Amino acid sequence: MFEDANRPRALALVGMPGAGKTICAEYLRGRGYFTLRFGAVVVDEVQGRGWEVNPVNERIAREALRERHGMAAMAIISLPKLQEALKLHQCIIIDGLYSFSEYKLLAEKLGAPVMLLAIAAPRHLRYERLSTRPERPLTPLEARERDIREIEALEKGGPIAMADYTLINDGAPAELLRQLDALLASLGFAP
């Protein structure tokens, strides 16, 4: 499926909140990969409305975008930027692809293969991480409610289930990044 290492490709990071997608995306950005965060579309919408960026306003904006554009909203809005990035970069990173509709749209319209990389972690560990993160911390109850909402309303399980590769993040961040480097090397991914 991804035999030609010279052909532009996209790697989409998928997973539940607190699994480690952001750690991977920031690391890859630091290594020189073009990285586009789908969540930035929501933040832009919140700020465009003149609202404070917080989980409640982000949820309202996310739902409004999906009501306006459908379940593939973030991919529809981001598609032109991603296509432009593929003209300049051999491999691009999509941070936080959420819905199965987003995946299907990108697979059909991006113009390059899309590989899904799931980052997974045990639920108790994800909830612990979410409660201690400096930006937008969540209580365990809030984290559980968010999980349920994302699975039921956002089609989040589809891309995770369809992942081409899965990294287990149940240790130190350095171990996750070691696994990521090994996977990228085996696939011939370079910035």
Side-chain angles (χ1 to χ4, degrees):
M1 176 160 72
F2 303 102
E3 305 86 14
D4 185 359
N6 296 317
R7 182 177 180 200
R9 299 175 283 174
L11 176 67
L13 305 176
V14 300
M16 297 302 291
K21 296 181 305 295
T22 300
I23 290 169
C24 292
E26 289 175 355
Y27 174 73
L28 293 171
R29 186 178 300 111
R31 288 195 48 208
Y33 287 89
F34 171 87
T35 306
L36 190 138
R37 183 174 163 261
F38 271 14
V41 172
V42 175
V43 171
D44 290 347
E45 179 73 11
V46 169
Q47 292 174 333
R49 292 173 178 221
W51 297 349
E52 176 186 344
V53 177
N54 62 45
V56 171
N57 289 340
E58 287 179 69
R59 181 180 49 79
I60 293 167
R62 186 180 309 108
E63 289 172 1
L65 287 168
R66 288 204 164 96
E67 187 174 311
R68 190 175 330 136
H69 299 286
M71 287 305 293
M74 305 319 150
I76 290 167
I77 294 165
S78 301
L79 188 61
K81 289 180 188 172
L82 294 170
Q83 289 172 327
E84 279 301 310
L86 283 167
K87 294 176 184 175
L88 303 171
H89 304 277
Q90 200 62 25
C91 301
I92 63 171
I93 308 300
I94 301 167
D95 176 13
L97 184 144
Y98 288 102
S99 78
F100 193 59
S101 294
E102 290 169 348
Y103 169 66
K104 290 188 303 186
L105 181 121
L106 291 177
E108 179 184 328
K109 298 192 181 267
L110 184 59
V114 178
M115 182 174 67
L116 297 175
L117 173 58
I119 312 299
R123 183 168 36 145
H124 74 276
L125 188 53
R126 291 190 303 102
Y127 289 5
E128 180 181 313
R129 290 173 182 157
L130 291 170
S131 71
T132 59
R133 69 182 180 182
E135 187 177 299
R136 301 174 320 205
L138 299 174
T139 67
L141 178 60
E142 290 170 327
R144 185 177 186 281
E145 289 171 350
R146 183 173 174 183
D147 274 359
I148 291 168
R149 216 174 24 253
E150 289 189 1
I151 291 167
E152 291 181 346
L154 300 184
E155 304 176 352
K156 195 161 192 179
I160 296 168
M162 293 292 293
D164 298 289
Y165 298 93
T166 301
L167 300 181
I168 304 300
N169 181 18
D170 60 359
E175 173 57 23
L176 173 63
L177 299 178
R178 185 200 62 71
Q179 292 178 64
L180 180 60
D181 279 340
L183 176 63
L184 295 178
S186 74
L187 298 171
F189 267 59

